[in-house]
Amino acid sequence: MQAKIKKVELRNLEIEDYKQLKKSMIESYPEMADSYWRSEDIERLLSIFPEGQLVILVDGKVVGSALSLIVDEKLVEKRHNYQQISGDYTFSTHNPNAEILYGIDVFIHPNYRGLRLGRRLYDARKELCEQLNLKAIVFAGRIPNYREHAKKMSPKAYIEKVRTKELYDPVLSFQLSNDFHVLRVIKNYLEGDEESKEFAVLLEWNNIYYDDSPKLINLKKNIIRLGLIQWQMRPLNNVEALFEQAEFFIDVVSGYGSDFALFPELFIAPLMADYNHLSEAEAIRELARHSDPIRKRFQEFAISYNINIITGSMPYLEGGNLYNVGFLCKRDGTSEMYTKIHITPNEVIHWGMKGGSQFKTFDTDCGKIGILICYDVEFPELSRLLADEGMNILFVPFLTDTQNGYTRVKHCSQARAIENECYVAIAGCVGNLPKVNNMDIQYAQSSVFTPSDFAFPSNGIKAEATPNTEMTLIVDVDLNLLKELHEHGSVKTLKDRRSDLYEIKKLNS
């Protein structure tokens, strides 16, 4: 995995990308070094079907691409090879009125494999297929490991063993795991592909939303899936053990297609056991040494699992002052810090923490969100200001030791959802830490709260976890319902405020 990745971007290919595209393609196919696309080929592709040509960039460098045509279904059904399907490499087979999105190339640079970037390209192709109301995605995939087994088995037997996971093929195994199914084997598909013995596997992904009476499709995502992690406090030997446990949960919630993973406040506290011989103030400052490495690793997780991660919170030293902060690690590889504004008396007395001075909404690929840490949600002014900035979802990582503390967080979060006409997701820690001073007991019930109107649950609770049990909570929230509420709700708290009599405003920005 590449160290210090700052940004991952998926976008349409531009002709200015060609030099980098060529270099990455050559390095991706060393066995076919002369088979890269020429600049005139790319120019032709972009002229006939620009939206079908995709690239992945890491820190501004092209490291992967997916190129496509739209072709007639009858052409796909015929026996064909690569030269024929591409119109003798002229792309004359492209027909914008046809039914099939045909993939003519996809690759990821060897140095950037293992980050699931290929999956992003496939997911983007699927979205394009749905948006264009095409019937299916079809392409012929190479089987590069077949060369090692060609003397012992037929391509059909090889494919079956890959399908049942008795054998592994770097291309076919990946494609099967992305919901493509085998149509047939093609002989003599790509001239010069010695690794595959010039065999290829014709694969298909069906668009279940295909409608042969085309209609406009809403391209904007409105159903957002939240993955809340109710974290069990347990002894951890080192920070790698923390990463292992955190990655497990990130893998779980991303496996269910979650757009966000939310961790609790101070969930890294088990690492403080090594410093229990120190005073509480000294111990938490030692814990703060882990915060930057944790942020960097969670950025890698966000890229690898294609999910936005809200890292709960952790102690952070800056200018000699100790803050309670967290990081929004976006799936594009970037990250932003948020800080707890209101510090509890306990945090001041035992740890000497200070409150931050900046808060804002965050732009994500799922719209504007807000993040407030625990005690902050008990101050309604903060979330009202975030709602004024367009916040749709408020995330609240929290840590409470007793049911009294949890009750405050829960009911204040429910109030914030109602008064700001937004969703509020809260996630906390459970269990005990007998060897960590000032962090010995926890109580939590992670939940997602909604406004209170006919389109939402009557009690304003979309979903809630089992109290004091380690688990995840996967919840879908519909942003369209919020739009409807803002305009046509039984009451409209955001619109009906008497701004002629009172206002709330930030004193700094």
Side-chain angles (χ1 to χ4, degrees):
M1 181 175 291
Q2 292 286 308
K4 299 181 179 177
I5 290 178
K6 296 179 180 178
K7 186 174 179 63
V8 177
E9 181 183 6
L10 189 155
R11 61 166 170 78
N12 287 109
L13 174 66
E14 300 170 358
I15 193 60
E16 290 78 14
D17 298 320
Y18 177 71
K19 287 185 179 179
Q20 291 186 24
L21 179 80
K22 173 184 173 182
K23 186 174 186 295
S24 286
M25 189 175 183
I26 291 172
E27 293 177 5
S28 297
Y29 299 122
E31 70 282 0
M32 297 185 290
D34 295 327
S35 298
Y36 59 87
W37 295 107
R38 271 49 180 182
S39 60
E40 56 268 26
D41 299 326
I42 298 301
E43 286 182 3
R44 193 176 304 119
L45 267 180
L46 292 177
S47 68
I48 63 173
F49 187 29
E51 58 267 48
Q53 320 315 322
L54 306 170
V55 286
I56 285 269
L57 293 87
V58 173
D59 297 335
K61 175 185 175 183
V62 174
V63 301
S65 179
L67 310 179
S68 309
L69 300 172
I70 300 175
V71 302
D72 293 315
E73 188 173 15
K74 292 180 180 179
L75 184 60
V76 172
E77 290 172 349
K78 294 179 181 178
R79 293 283 174 179
H80 63 271
N81 59 30
Y82 193 71
Q83 185 173 356
Q84 292 166 338
I85 202 70
S86 64
D88 198 17
Y89 310 110
T90 66
F91 314 124
S92 60
T93 50
H94 177 72
N95 177 3
N97 298 314
E99 311 89 356
I100 303 298
L101 185 67
Y102 196 102
I104 58 172
D105 203 351
V106 63
F107 67 87
I108 295 293
H109 190 287
N111 292 347
Y112 295 86
R113 291 171 187 168
L115 293 171
R116 295 177 174 82
L117 301 182
R119 180 165 295 180
R120 292 198 193 196
L121 289 171
Y122 278 99
D123 287 346
R125 265 187 183 167
K126 292 173 184 177
E127 289 181 17
L128 180 65
C129 183
E130 292 175 358
Q131 291 167 6
L132 296 179
N133 191 37
L134 300 177
K135 191 172 185 179
I137 301 172
V138 176
F139 59 87
R142 301 171 62 237
I143 43 175
N145 278 9
Y146 179 60
R147 179 172 60 180
E148 302 172 11
H149 304 275
K151 293 182 180 180
K152 297 179 289 184
M153 64 185 74
S154 66
K156 180 180 179 181
Y158 176 77
I159 292 166
E160 180 61 20
K161 286 187 177 292
V162 173
R163 189 187 67 81
T164 58
K165 296 183 170 55
E166 296 177 61
L167 293 176
Y168 171 79
D169 186 277
V171 177
L172 182 58
S173 296
F174 174 75
Q175 291 160 345
L176 293 176
S177 71
N178 277 274
D179 302 323
F180 287 86
H181 63 270
V182 175
L183 291 177
R184 62 178 180 269
V185 178
I186 303 179
K187 189 177 181 180
N188 301 322
Y189 182 75
L190 180 61
E191 185 179 355
D193 185 7
E194 291 299 324
E195 289 186 319
S196 306
K197 295 298 180 181
E198 297 190 358
F199 286 102
V201 183
L202 196 66
L203 295 135
E204 180 181 52
W205 176 83
N206 292 308
N207 176 15
I208 63 173
Y209 302 108
Y210 174 68
D211 184 351
D212 56 9
S213 56
K215 58 185 179 181
L216 292 176
I217 297 176
N218 185 3
L219 306 183
K220 189 175 181 180
K221 186 171 187 177
N222 287 300
I223 305 297
I224 310 301
R225 182 161 293 177
L226 313 180
L228 281 56
I229 295 152
Q230 190 156 283
W231 178 272
Q232 173 81 41
M233 290 294 205
R234 54 168 59 81
L236 296 170
N237 292 330
N238 49 47
V239 71
E240 287 301 323
L242 176 89
F243 291 146
E244 181 179 348
Q245 188 68 18
E247 185 174 10
F248 165 77
F249 282 115
I250 294 168
D251 188 14
V252 167
V253 298
S254 71
Y256 283 99
S258 298
D259 297 292
F260 290 94
L262 173 63
F263 283 84
E265 179 184 21
L266 295 175
F267 76 101
I268 72 168
L271 298 176
M272 204 155 45
D274 288 344
Y275 316 119
N276 215 34
H277 60 287
L278 303 174
S279 70
E280 292 161 351
E282 292 171 324
I284 200 161
R285 280 164 173 73
E286 289 296 321
L287 182 65
R289 298 178 185 273
H290 294 292
S291 296
D292 277 326
I294 289 171
R295 175 184 61 82
K296 291 175 183 176
R297 183 65 68 89
F298 273 69
Q299 281 182 274
E300 293 175 358
F301 289 153
I303 294 171
S304 296
Y305 291 95
N306 193 22
I307 190 170
N308 301 300
I309 303 174
I310 297 164
T311 67
S313 81
M314 56 202 74
Y316 190 81
L317 277 169
E318 185 175 61
N321 294 319
L322 184 70
Y323 299 96
N324 189 347
V325 312
F327 302 96
L328 169 60
C329 297
K330 301 179 186 178
R331 49 185 155 202
D332 68 0
T334 60
S335 72
E336 296 184 75
M337 181 190 289
Y338 51 88
T339 307
K340 191 171 185 177
I341 304 299
H342 300 91
I343 302 301
T344 65
N346 184 73
E347 289 172 295
V348 174
I349 295 168
H350 293 282
W351 295 333
M353 275 188 169
K354 292 183 177 293
S357 58
Q358 300 289 331
F359 64 98
K360 63 173 186 175
T361 55
F362 298 92
D363 291 310
T364 74
D365 54 8
C366 299
K368 284 186 180 291
I369 67 165
I371 307 171
L372 297 177
I373 302 174
C374 197
Y375 193 29
D376 283 337
V377 81
E378 299 178 33
F379 297 83
E381 299 88 350
L382 291 184
S383 32
R384 175 50 55 88
L385 288 167
L386 297 179
D388 287 343
E389 294 179 8
M391 172 189 69
N392 290 315
I393 308 172
L394 174 62
F395 292 93
V396 183
F398 71 92
L399 178 78
T400 50
D401 54 355
T402 65
Q403 284 182 271
N404 305 55
Y406 171 71
T407 297
R408 292 193 296 269
V409 170
K410 174 184 176 180
H411 289 298
C412 287
S413 295
Q414 283 194 278
R416 304 297 85 83
I418 293 170
E419 66 200 18
N420 295 304
E421 299 177 344
C422 67
Y423 296 105
V424 180
I426 68 173
C429 294
V430 299
N432 306 305
L433 274 180
K435 294 185 178 181
V436 177
N437 293 332
N438 201 39
M439 295 288 292
D440 43 358
I441 58 174
Q442 334 288 328
Y443 182 91
Q445 184 177 22
S446 302
S447 308
V448 175
F449 303 119
T450 73
S452 183
D453 212 322
F454 297 114
F456 304 94
S458 57
N459 62 357
I461 301 175
K462 176 72 173 179
E464 52 189 357
T466 303
N468 265 16
T469 301
E470 184 171 54
M471 62 181 293
T472 60
L473 193 62
I474 311 294
V475 184
D476 285 349
V477 295
D478 188 344
L479 301 188
N480 276 333
L481 296 181
L482 297 182
K483 295 177 186 176
E484 181 74 14
L485 177 68
H486 298 336
E487 299 297 327
H488 307 294
S490 301
V491 295
K492 298 181 280 290
T493 54
L494 292 180
K495 283 194 167 186
D496 291 343
R497 283 178 295 165
R498 291 289 305 275
S499 55
D500 58 321
L501 297 179
Y502 60 87
E503 66 176 352
I504 301 172
K505 64 179 181 180
K506 290 183 180 180
L507 298 180
N508 56 19
S509 59

